[in-house]
Amino acid sequence: MPQQVDPNQGLSAAQVAQRQQIGVAQLVLDDIVVYQTGDQIAADAKVCAGEVLVNEALLTGEADEIKKPVGATLMSGSFVVAGTCRAQVAAVGAVAYINQLTLAAKATPHGEQSEMIRTLDQLIKVIGVALVPLGILLVWQGLAVDHESLHDSIVIIFDKLNAF
């Protein structure tokens, strides 16, 4: 689950054309925030000057850094890994991306499975069902075709499986 932004994290924001350090909880729409390497994006914002590389892995699962030039959107909860920019706050509080993501995650029923988990479950069932006839076929081959004893047929099957 995405990490919540620390409301006590200090940021450099320009409110009323005056640069000052403020807390995340004090951010309001249209504030200009200065982000630099190592900062966590505290509120959704639009880059208005500079360029940064951002890690959005906590939000999207994407491990690659994403270049954010002027005009790009910064999503709250991501991290600046390189560069410096000034960004205009576009969303704070409950409407910020990280908070919407958190609310959606909390609203998901505990028993609900993702598409990937459902597909893996189906694959495991198919493989499990296919193994029984395959095992019977291999034992029959050892007994009827290769004229081996039941014990030898089973031992040969497991030896072949261990070779993988």
Side-chain angles (χ1 to χ4, degrees), residues 5 11-16 20 22-35 40-49 71-77 85-99:
V5 176
L11 295 174
S12 177
Q15 290 181 329
V16 193
Q20 58 186 347
I22 65 170
V24 172
Q26 296 171 306
L27 281 176
V28 295
L29 288 178
D30 297 325
D31 275 352
I32 302 296
V33 181
V34 178
Y35 287 113
Q40 182 176 14
I41 308 299
D44 295 349
K46 187 173 185 178
V47 178
C48 52
T73 300
L74 300 172
M75 294 189 293
S76 55
C85 75
R86 291 172 40 133
Q88 184 176 12
V89 174
V92 293
V95 294
Y97 183 79
I98 185 104
N99 291 328

Side-chain angles (χ1 to χ4, degrees), residues 127-160:
I127 290 172
V129 169
L131 283 178
V132 172
L134 183 62
I136 292 170
L137 183 64
L138 290 174
V139 169
W140 174 82
Q141 177 189 5
L143 293 172
V145 177
D146 297 336
H147 304 293
E148 308 208 354
S149 70
L150 178 62
H151 179 268
D152 289 343
S153 295
I154 293 172
V155 169
I156 291 170
I157 291 170
F158 281 104
D159 285 343
K160 288 179 182 178

Side-chain angles (χ1 to χ4, degrees), residues 52-120:
V52 289
L53 284 177
V54 176
N55 181 326
E56 296 178 345
L58 290 175
L59 306 174
T60 64
E62 176 63 46
D64 295 334
E65 286 125 12
I66 301 166
K67 183 190 269 188
K68 299 288 184 168
V70 172
T73 300
L74 300 172
M75 294 189 293
S76 55
S78 55
F79 289 88
V80 177
V81 293
T84 300
C85 75
R86 291 172 40 133
Q88 184 176 12
V89 174
V92 293
V95 294
Y97 183 79
I98 185 104
N99 291 328
Q100 292 293 321
L101 193 61
T102 301
L103 289 173
K106 287 180 180 178
T108 303
H110 291 289
E112 189 173 314
Q113 292 182 335
S114 69
E115 180 67 26
M116 182 177 72
I117 297 297
R118 286 192 301 270
T119 303
L120 284 174

